[in-house]
């Protein structure tokens, strides 16, 4: 099965750039109700994922933080506990599922490492559920 069948394209995914400010990231995540968000560099390459936990630990480092000060703190300076691993567009289903077991979504990159979208764990589970249901109906 081609994993691109599950792809939610970049145009439908909120993401941030590594040069975004803390305030921009907070507002983007709040608006989209994301607990984690893909991070790209200026070239459009996937560089990691920022989670709510990463933000909380990063904010802890800054004392007396207010929203105005958050405009001067760049997200690339935040340590990340663990990045979501990306898959290439030509990865197989086994690799995709292996990564999705530990991540809410799996970033997908093309052969030039450009971010092209994500595959959500939910879409994989829905697919597996439908396959299982069809398999059980045939008995």
């Amino acid at each position: 099965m081609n994993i691109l069948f599950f792809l939610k394209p970049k145009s439908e995914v909120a993401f941030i750039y590594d040069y975004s400010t803390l305030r921009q990231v907070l507002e983007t995540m709040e608006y989209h109700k994301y607990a984690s968000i893909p991070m790209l560099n200026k070239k459009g390459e996937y560089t990691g994922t920022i989670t709510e936990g990463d933000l909380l630990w990063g904010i802890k480092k800054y004392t007396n933080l207010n929203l105005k000060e958050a405009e001067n703190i760049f997200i690339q300076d935040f340590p990340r506990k663990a990045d979501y691993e990306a898959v290439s567009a030509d990865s197989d289903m086994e690799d995709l599922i292996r990564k999705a077991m530990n991540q809410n979504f799996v970033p997908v990159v093309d052969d030039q490492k450009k971010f092209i979208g994500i595959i959500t764990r939910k879409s994989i589970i829905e697919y597996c559920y439908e396959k299982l249901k069809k398999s059980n109906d045939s008995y």
Side-chain angles (χ1 to χ4, degrees):
M1 155 129 301
N2 186 334
I3 69 164
L4 294 180
F5 171 76
F6 301 104
L7 185 73
K8 186 173 188 177
K10 179 180 177 182
S11 61
E12 296 176 18
V13 176
F15 56 88
I16 57 161
Y17 288 102
D18 58 5
Y19 56 85
S20 298
T21 66
L22 172 58
R23 181 177 180 168
Q24 291 169 322
V25 174
L26 288 169
E27 289 176 349
T28 301
M29 289 178 73
E30 178 183 32
Y31 178 81
H32 293 283
K33 297 178 176 51
Y34 282 7
S36 55
I37 192 165
M39 183 170 52
L40 313 181
N41 63 18
K42 288 182 180 181
K43 297 178 191 173
E45 298 167 335
Y46 173 74
T47 60
T49 297
I50 291 291
T51 67
E52 289 174 330
D54 296 333
L55 293 175
L56 288 172
W57 290 114
I59 289 169
K60 182 180 181 270
K61 287 177 42 177
Y62 300 96
T63 58
N64 300 321
L65 182 66
N66 64 46
L67 210 51
K68 189 67 179 160
E69 289 175 22
E71 294 174 359
N72 300 316
I73 300 169
F74 296 94
I75 208 65
Q76 64 192 1
D77 298 331
F78 275 58
R80 292 187 306 276
K81 188 174 181 179
D83 274 326
Y84 286 22
E85 290 185 55
V87 295
S88 63
D90 61 355
S91 291
D92 61 20
M93 197 64 178
E94 187 176 324
D95 190 31
L96 177 65
I97 290 173
R98 192 175 310 112
K99 288 191 174 50
M101 287 192 300
N102 299 313
Q103 304 172 185
N104 295 333
F105 63 86
V106 181
V108 182
V109 296
D110 65 14
D111 56 355
Q112 296 177 344
K113 305 295 183 209
K114 302 288 189 215
F115 177 77
I116 61 172
I118 65 170
I119 298 174
T120 63
R121 187 186 304 164
K122 179 183 177 182
S123 67
I124 297 167
I125 291 170
E126 286 173 344
Y127 171 79
C128 292
Y129 173 75
E130 290 300 322
K131 284 283 206 190
L132 182 63
K133 200 165 116 180
K134 284 181 185 175
S135 173
N136 287 339
D137 289 346
S138 65
Y139 287 114

